[in-house]
């Protein structure tokens, strides 16, 4: 569940508060003004909360992480498990980041190319957003502030088209133009579709620069990289994409980021598998894989490896939006190996290991 821890006119009838009309009159600058206020505040610390449906249709809130942000785009999430600091994730714009496992005293370098799945870096993109902004009718009192709300599509802000029906609800203090609550709605796949990822309890002001230092902590060991060999990963990716295309009229997942949960559920739907059908499972028995149940379980498992490539491996890229099975010689998936060369899977699912200059030549076509 943790991973759910990377302008048009508004009709006058929807104007919800005279005190906030200066922001609503021209919808395009709404979040530009918010971004300006956030920049002047020099940063924030807030809580990340999972909000789900509780007993008798009440809200059940679970604190997950402390979140830190500064205008340079650096951010940090300190995940808490059973009341103790469990993991820290540090991202810096256009630089490698750092993942710290405090329990095992290990760290992992997060490649700068890594997909920031539900990154709070969305704030920077909100500031540049110029698309349609829908006001939420009526104000809401949040932590003593009478806040006004706006909704924007998740995919148009963060460039992640995997969650086409998800949206971002931003509640703003009309006096300061600073957010008081941000709800990420519709990101979790079934059966957790009602889960809301909430950022709240903002404490504005400069943050300690040491929070965003990506130097590995003293006494911590480097976490082993993915132990699975490149050839094995390559086969998983080929098998997963092949199975998906088989049930999707010959097409691969046409998304920017491949999340195992989401694309696994998409495969479940394409294959018309029941909700209780086992997914994300590996079995070396060829007879099992030939059954429809085994094909689904293995296919969804294999698709999750593309997310590992995008998240954990240097220069991991998936081009399923533009590359099809007919695109022989075009790069569908690639990542960098330890020796500096690249493992490449092409549109026709052939593969090769090539040097960087050859990759640049191919991708420059």
């Amino acid at each position: 569940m943790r991973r759910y821890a990377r302008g048009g006119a508004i009709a006058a009838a929807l104007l919800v508060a005279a005190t906030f009309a200066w922001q609503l009159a021209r919808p395009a600058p709404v979040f530009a003004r918010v971004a300006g206020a956030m920049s002047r505040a020099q940063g924030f610390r807030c809580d990340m909360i999972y909000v789900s449906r509780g007993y008798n249709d009440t809200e059940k809130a679970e604190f997950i992480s402390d979140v830190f942000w500064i205008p340079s785009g650096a951010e940090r999430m300190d995940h808490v498990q059973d009341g103790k600091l469990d993991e820290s994730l540090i991202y810096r714009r256009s630089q490698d980041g750092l993942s710290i496992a405090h329990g095992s005293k290990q760290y992992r370098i997060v490649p700068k190319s890594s997909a920031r799945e539900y990154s709070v870096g969305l704030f920077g993109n909100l500031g540049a957003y110029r698309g349609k902004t829908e006001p939420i009718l009526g104000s809401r009192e949040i932590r003593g502030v009478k806040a006004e709300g706006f909704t924007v599509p998740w995919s148009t802000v963060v460039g992640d088209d995997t969650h086409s029906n998800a949206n971002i609800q931003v509640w703003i203090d009309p006096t300061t133009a600073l957010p008081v609550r941000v709800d990420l709605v519709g990101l979790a796949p079934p059966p957790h579709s009602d889960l809301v990822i909430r950022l709240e309890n903002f404490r504005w002001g400069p943050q300690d620069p040491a929070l965003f230092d990506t130097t590995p902590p003293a006494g911590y060991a480097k976490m082993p990289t993915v132990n699975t060999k490149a050839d094995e990963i390559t086969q998983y990716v080929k098998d997963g994409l092949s199975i998906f295309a088989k049930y999707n009229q010959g097409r691969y997942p046409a998304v920017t980021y491949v999340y195992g949960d989401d694309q696994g559920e998409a495969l479940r739907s394409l294959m018309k598998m029941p909700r209780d059908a086992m997914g994300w499972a590996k079995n070396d028995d060829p007879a099992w894989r030939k059954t429809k149940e085994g094909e689904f379980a293995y296919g969804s498992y294999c698709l999750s490896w593309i997310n590992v490539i995008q998240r954990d491996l240097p220069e991991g890229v998936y081009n399923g939006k533009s590359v099809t099975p007919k695109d022989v010689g075009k790069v569908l998936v690639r990542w960098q190996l330890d020796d500096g060369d690249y493992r490449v899977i092409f549109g026709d699912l052939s593969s090769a290991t090539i040097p960087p200059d050859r990759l640049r030549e191919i991708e420059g076509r």
Side-chain angles (χ1 to χ4, degrees), residues 9 49 128 212 289:
I49 304 164
F212 311 99
R289 291 190 193 176

Side-chain angles (χ1 to χ4, degrees), residues 210-261:
L211 289 169
F212 311 99
D213 184 1
T214 53
T215 304
Y220 279 54
K222 187 173 183 180
M223 196 178 298
T225 54
V226 176
N227 292 325
T228 309
K229 296 183 182 300
D231 288 346
E232 193 173 354
I233 295 174
T234 300
Q235 192 60 53
Y236 288 145
V237 172
K238 289 182 179 183
D239 289 344
L241 291 173
S242 178
I243 292 170
F244 193 94
K246 174 181 175 181
Y247 292 95
N248 192 41
Q249 299 180 339
R251 299 190 298 266
Y252 304 133
V255 296
T256 303
Y257 299 122
V258 175
Y259 301 119
D261 292 339

Side-chain angles (χ1 to χ4, degrees), residues 239-255 262-263 265-272 292 295 303 318 320-321 323-326:
D239 289 344
L241 291 173
S242 178
I243 292 170
F244 193 94
K246 174 181 175 181
Y247 292 95
N248 192 41
Q249 299 180 339
R251 299 190 298 266
Y252 304 133
V255 296
D262 292 296
Q263 296 311 312
E265 289 301 326
L267 182 61
R268 184 193 298 274
S269 178
L270 290 168
M271 296 182 67
K272 297 180 172 55
K292 195 170 182 181
E295 187 178 31
L303 288 169
Y318 172 72
K321 288 194 71 174
V323 178
T324 73
K326 296 180 181 179

Side-chain angles (χ1 to χ4, degrees), residues 133-183:
T133 306
E134 295 287 352
I136 301 173
L137 291 177
S139 60
R140 180 178 297 180
E141 184 165 328
I142 300 173
R143 295 185 179 267
V145 174
K146 193 173 183 180
E148 306 294 344
F150 299 87
T151 298
V152 293
W154 165 268
S155 58
T156 59
V157 173
V158 301
D160 178 0
D161 51 3
T162 306
H163 308 93
S164 57
N165 296 321
N167 63 73
I168 307 168
Q169 298 178 2
V170 185
W171 293 87
I172 301 169
D173 182 340
T175 303
T176 64
L178 291 171
V180 294
R181 173 184 290 174
V182 177
D183 281 349

Side-chain angles (χ1 to χ4, degrees), residues 98-100 106-109 213-222:
L98 188 69
S99 173
I100 308 170
Q106 294 181 310
Y107 71 89
R108 176 176 61 83
I109 303 299
D213 184 1
T214 53
T215 304
Y220 279 54
K222 187 173 183 180

Side-chain angles (χ1 to χ4, degrees), residues 44-48 65-68 199-203:
F44 69 73
R45 174 180 180 175
C46 75
D47 301 338
M48 178 180 281
S65 306
D66 281 311
V67 176
F68 306 84
L199 303 175
E200 195 175 284
N201 192 21
F202 288 86
R203 286 87 88 192

Side-chain angles (χ1 to χ4, degrees), residues 77-90:
M77 286 179 274
D78 283 343
H79 295 301
V80 174
Q81 186 78 26
D82 299 326
K84 296 180 180 179
L85 180 61
D86 178 54
E87 180 186 19
S88 295
L89 289 169
I90 303 170

